[in-house]
């Protein structure tokens, strides 16, 4: 029984190794490509607006199930400045934990649970990311 288990695991490992080599030969899963998605915003169930960097050009394209349309071409320096500004205003950029502003009713957002497993905003962000990755295109 133990020998059968070891042989089965060796077979599965061999299949995975072969699949990884095949994917590497075909260039699947490589992130060093020429096209980089800078930002993506979902506009509806089946439509998105994407900001793409292709070499030194930055393009804004609209994508639906039927077609992809070039909307605009942006200045690469302006996009870099915007991304740097967004990173500078991120909550963790100050070095310490961000203290959320109180809501109008006096209830604080986050509080002691901010960043923990029980943080509601963290779970909402996680679910929205999963929705974005699993939506039919």
């Amino acid at each position: 029984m133990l020998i059968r288990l070891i042989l089965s695991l060796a077979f599965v490992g061999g299949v995975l190794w072969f699949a990884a080599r095949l994917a590497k030969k075909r260039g699947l899963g490589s992130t060093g490509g020429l096209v980089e998605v800078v930002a993506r915003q979902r506009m509806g169930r089946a439509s998105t607006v994407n900001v793409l960097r292709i070499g030194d050009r930055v393009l804004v394209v609209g994508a639906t199930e039927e077609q992809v349309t070039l909307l605009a071409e942006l200045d690469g320096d302006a996009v870099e400045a915007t991304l740097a500004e967004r990173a500078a205003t991120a909550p963790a950029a100050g070095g310490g934990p961000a203290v959320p502003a109180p809501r109008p009713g006096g209830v604080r957002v986050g509080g002691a649970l901010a960043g923990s497993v029980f943080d509601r905003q963290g779970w909402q962000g996680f679910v929205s990311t999963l929705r974005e990755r699993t939506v039919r295109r």
Side-chain angles (χ1 to χ4, degrees):
M1 179 87 158
L2 184 62
I3 294 173
R4 186 174 176 188
L5 176 68
I6 292 172
L7 289 175
S8 297
L9 287 175
F11 176 74
V12 170
V15 169
L16 289 174
W17 178 76
F18 178 75
R21 284 187 51 119
L22 184 65
K24 188 175 181 181
K25 281 184 181 178
R26 294 189 178 187
L28 300 175
S30 64
T31 59
L34 183 64
V35 178
E36 176 189 356
V37 178
V38 176
R40 176 179 294 144
Q41 178 65 46
R42 202 168 146 213
M43 302 305 287
R45 179 181 168 144
S47 61
T48 58
V49 174
N50 303 306
V51 179
L52 305 174
R53 180 180 292 125
I54 303 172
D56 59 347
R57 297 177 66 186
V58 178
L59 305 174
V60 179
V61 295
T64 64
E65 291 180 356
E66 293 84 23
Q67 65 184 7
V68 176
T69 306
L70 176 64
L71 300 176
E73 185 170 347
L74 301 176
D75 180 35
D77 297 333
V79 172
E80 291 297 327
T82 303
L83 291 174
E85 179 182 318
R86 183 180 294 174
T89 59
V99 178
R103 285 189 175 172
V107 179
R108 292 178 64 121
V109 178
L113 298 178
S116 72
V117 175
F118 301 110
D119 184 15
R120 183 175 181 183
Q121 289 179 338
W123 282 108
Q124 287 174 341
F126 175 72
V127 169
S128 66
T129 301
L130 283 178
R131 281 189 192 131
E132 182 66 29
R133 291 183 180 214
T134 58
V135 68
R136 288 185 182 176
R137 299 194 193 275

